[in-house]
Every structure is written in structure tokens, then in C-alpha cells.
Amino acid sequence: MCELYVKADPILYESRSRSLRIRGVVTTLRLENQFWDILSEIAAVDGMTTNQLITKLYDEVMDYRGEVVNFASFLRVSCTRFLSQAPQRSAEVLSLVAKA
């Protein structure tokens, strides 16, 4: 069972930092490459750049919660929530195709 995880390409869990501007402040986010890839995928689905997506997520979580204790962790959880919705998104696409 663990072979699936153990054989993961080390580049996927290598961390990478990116600088971006959020609410006028330049900040640096450090995430593993796998999470940057997922954020890029989410952004593409929503017709945005990765930086636009991250800024939008930050704005929305701040509006909703008023604070973000650990924004990098919030982004990681957002990625896993996106992945967990994949079966539901696939079913919705199939339903649309069937109706066409």
C-alpha cells in the first residue's frame, strides 16, 4: 500500500517559494510543488492565473473568517478539498454531456 506514496517523485514534495502581492503587500508563500500544480489547475478551471486565484482565496477567507492563522496550510487544505470533489465534478460533466 505505501508503495504508491513512497515511489512519489521527490520533486513533488520539494518546496518552492513564490512572491506575490496580496492586498498591496508583497508576501512569499512556500508550498510543495504538488500543491503549486494543483493550485494552477484550480486557477485554470476558474479562468485565472495562480496568483489571481491565491489573492481571491485570501480575500474571501478574510471576508468570511476575518483572519487566516496559517495561509499556506489553508491553501494545502483547499487543494485537498478540490481533489476530493473530482468524482462529483466528473459526474456533473457526464450529466451535462448526456443532456446534450
Side-chain angles (χ1 to χ4, degrees), residues 35-70:
F35 290 109
W36 286 119
D37 293 344
I38 297 166
L39 287 170
S40 178
E41 181 180 344
I42 297 169
V45 167
D46 290 340
M48 295 184 240
T49 67
T50 304
N51 285 4
Q52 288 171 329
L53 172 70
I54 291 169
T55 299
K56 182 174 175 134
L57 287 170
Y58 183 84
D59 288 342
E60 288 185 7
V61 76
M62 287 299 289
D63 290 345
Y64 187 74
R65 298 251 179 240
E67 69 174 340
V68 185
V69 177
N70 187 333

Side-chain angles (χ1 to χ4, degrees):
M1 176 185 105
C2 293
E3 188 174 306
L4 170 69
Y5 309 109
V6 172
K7 289 187 175 181
D9 185 347
I11 199 80
L12 294 173
Y13 51 86
E14 183 177 286
S15 292
R16 182 176 49 184
S17 296
R18 284 193 185 177
S19 292
L20 62 147
R21 186 176 301 273
I22 299 177
R23 294 191 172 181
V25 177
V26 175
T27 188
T28 301
L29 285 171
R30 185 171 187 83
L31 295 171
E32 294 74 18
N33 288 322
Q34 179 89 55
F35 290 109
W36 286 119
D37 293 344
I38 297 166
L39 287 170
S40 178
E41 181 180 344
I42 297 169
V45 167
D46 290 340
M48 295 184 240
T49 67
T50 304
N51 285 4
Q52 288 171 329
L53 172 70
I54 291 169
T55 299
K56 182 174 175 134
L57 287 170
Y58 183 84
D59 288 342
E60 288 185 7
V61 76
M62 287 299 289
D63 290 345
Y64 187 74
R65 298 251 179 240
E67 69 174 340
V68 185
V69 177
N70 187 333
F71 189 57
S73 291
F74 168 79
L75 291 174
R76 288 183 188 95
V77 169
S78 297
C79 290
T80 60
R81 290 175 59 90
F82 173 78
L83 293 176
S84 72
Q85 296 299 312
Q88 179 181 341
R89 282 192 310 276
S90 295
E92 289 170 1
V93 169
L94 289 175
S95 170
L96 290 173
V97 169
K99 289 179 184 177

